[in-house]
Structures are given as C-alpha cells and as structure tokens.
Amino acid sequence: MAKSMEPNRNQKNVTSSGADIDEVKRQNANSGLSYNQAKELLAKQTAEREMAQNDYVHEVGKENL
C-alpha cells in the first residue's frame, strides 16, 4: 500500500535533531524585535534626535544675532 503524500496533522513538525519547528516559530514570534528591526528603530531615533538638535542650534543662533 502506498503512503499518502499529505502530512499527518497529528504528527509534530520536527527537525532531524528533534527540535519542534512549530514551537520554535511560536517562540521567535514572541521574542521581540529582530536584529534588523532594532537597527532600523535606532537609526530612526538617532536621525530624529539629530534633527531636533540641529533645530535647537539654529534657533539659538538666531537669538544671538
């Protein structure tokens, strides 16, 4: 009798080393920002801070004219 090509929904999706793939994906989804997301957020915050500092310096310069 030939085996069905459809995955058995009752079986866990595991790697050859025994790690539960679905559990790893679930934990990754709940782990917070990825490296690239954190890098992007820091770049955005740094740019905003620099813009605010430049605006402040420009305003202080106007007062001293």
Side-chain angles (χ1 to χ4, degrees):
M1 178 173 225
K3 288 187 178 182
S4 172
M5 296 304 288
E6 291 184 31
N8 185 346
R9 299 289 178 212
N10 295 329
Q11 278 187 327
K12 285 195 171 195
N13 192 10
V14 295
T15 64
S16 60
S17 64
D20 183 341
I21 294 171
D22 296 325
E23 179 64 14
V24 170
K25 286 181 180 182
R26 186 190 65 75
Q27 288 179 2
N28 284 346
N30 294 325
S31 67
L33 296 176
S34 70
Y35 173 79
N36 286 337
Q37 288 171 324
K39 196 167 97 171
E40 183 179 334
L41 179 62
L42 287 173
K44 181 180 176 186
Q45 289 175 342
T46 300
E48 289 173 353
R49 190 175 310 116
E50 288 175 355
M51 286 175 47
Q53 287 174 344
N54 289 340
D55 289 346
Y56 175 75
V57 169
H58 184 69
E59 289 300 316
V60 170
K62 280 184 184 177
E63 293 172 3
N64 293 328
L65 289 178

